[in-house]
Amino acid sequence: SAVISQKPSRDICQRGTSLTIQCQVDSQVTMMFWYRQQPGQSLTLIATANQGSEATYESGFVIDKFPISRPNLTFSTLTVSNMSPEDSSIYLCSVASDNQPQHFGDGTRLSIL
Amino acid sequence: AQSVSQHNHHVILSEAASLELGCNYSYGGTVNLFWYVQYPGQHLQLLLKYFSGDPLVKGIKGFEAEFIKSKFSFNLRKPSVQWSDTAEYFCAVTSTGGSYIPTFGRGTSLIVHP
């Protein structure tokens, strides 16, 4: 299975700032996704990162708040913009190919003060 | 739209006890089913999956799950749990021939006392 490296693993940020999370995969994958996992809740899909085009966002998530890049088949970034305490969460990158199960990165634990 | 329901949000067991975590889904078509596990401080890992064939699926670490189509269920079982099974367990479903994007259940927190 693909090896996924996600950076940073954790961060503490000030309100109003932005943080970019990186996801690097050791092989080319068809699909890359970004999820949010808030305390005590399930995983919520933020968006599908599309290679070479704009990401596809789920209901409740917008590009201005969560800009995503995917310049190639092995790398993607998620930016959490203008952060507030409500954005404190774990952010997860996942990858999938050919209708196989998704594989997840270690996640980024983000706390906003 | 599909949905996944995990009835047990928190389960506490002693070592050697048997485990069964419930998972029900709602979707009218053919599905693929998954159980993921998240150990403390670690990333989500695939525990087992069902695509087709034998409805009794065996996964890693002695876990198994049974797909009962008539009940829309995919319950996870283990005959004898260990302290190291303490983790968060997530059930997920995708529709066959559809997107790769699974719908996740809320998760069940399992604590096993030594």
Side-chain angles (χ1 to χ4, degrees):
Chain A
S1 60
V3 176
I4 304 168
S5 299
Q6 196 172 326
K7 296 179 181 178
S9 59
R10 60 178 63 232
D11 207 342
I12 300 173
C13 300
Q14 294 293 325
R15 187 191 301 247
T17 62
S18 298
L19 177 74
T20 296
I21 304 167
Q22 298 180 357
C23 179
Q24 178 74 55
V25 191
D26 69 342
S27 60
Q28 293 186 347
V29 292
T30 309
M31 311 285 280
M32 294 184 77
F33 308 93
W34 288 99
Y35 285 84
R36 184 171 70 184
Q37 185 181 15
Q38 293 181 307
Q41 298 187 25
S42 184
L43 285 76
T44 302
L45 181 65
I46 297 172
T48 302
N50 300 309
Q51 192 261 330
S53 65
E54 192 172 288
T56 304
Y57 288 85
E58 298 299 306
S59 176
F61 298 96
V62 295
I63 189 171
D64 290 344
K65 176 68 176 176
F66 297 102
I68 288 171
S69 78
R70 189 177 175 194
N72 55 53
L73 292 175
T74 62
F75 184 77
S76 178
T77 67
L78 167 74
T79 299
V80 186
S81 303
N82 188 25
M83 289 183 284
S84 66
E86 294 72 34
D87 295 320
S88 295
S89 185
I90 298 173
Y91 292 86
L92 295 156
C93 169
S94 77
V95 304
S97 290
D98 302 328
N99 204 27
Q100 289 301 307
Q102 292 194 7
H103 294 281
F104 289 83
D106 288 344
T108 296
R109 186 178 297 273
L110 182 58
S111 300
I112 291 92
L113 303 178
Chain B
Q2 56 207 24
S3 65
V4 178
S5 175
Q6 291 182 243
H7 319 296
N8 318 103
H9 296 155
H10 300 280
V11 174
I12 301 173
L13 296 173
S14 297
E15 274 195 320
S18 64
L19 170 72
E20 179 159 3
L21 301 183
C23 173
N24 286 88
Y25 66 93
S26 64
Y27 182 69
T30 308
V31 294
N32 299 323
L33 296 154
F34 312 88
W35 275 97
Y36 284 86
V37 60
Q38 187 174 28
Y39 297 104
Q42 297 188 27
H43 64 276
L44 276 164
Q45 303 172 43
L46 183 67
L47 199 55
L48 48 79
K49 64 185 179 185
Y50 171 80
F51 278 12
S52 63
D54 188 345
L56 183 61
V57 179
K58 295 193 183 297
I60 60 172
K61 303 186 180 184
F63 285 92
E64 66 178 30
E66 185 175 12
F67 171 47
I68 303 179
K69 188 175 181 180
S70 62
K71 294 184 178 180
F72 298 89
S73 70
F74 191 56
N75 292 355
L76 181 70
R77 299 194 294 249
K78 185 171 183 178
S80 177
V81 295
Q82 300 173 310
W83 173 78
S84 58
D85 293 324
T86 294
E88 192 89 13
Y89 293 82
F90 293 91
C91 181
V93 61
T94 62
S95 56
T96 59
S99 75
Y100 305 131
I101 304 172
T103 299
F104 283 88
R106 182 177 170 178
T108 297
S109 173
L110 172 66
I111 296 175
V112 180
H113 288 301

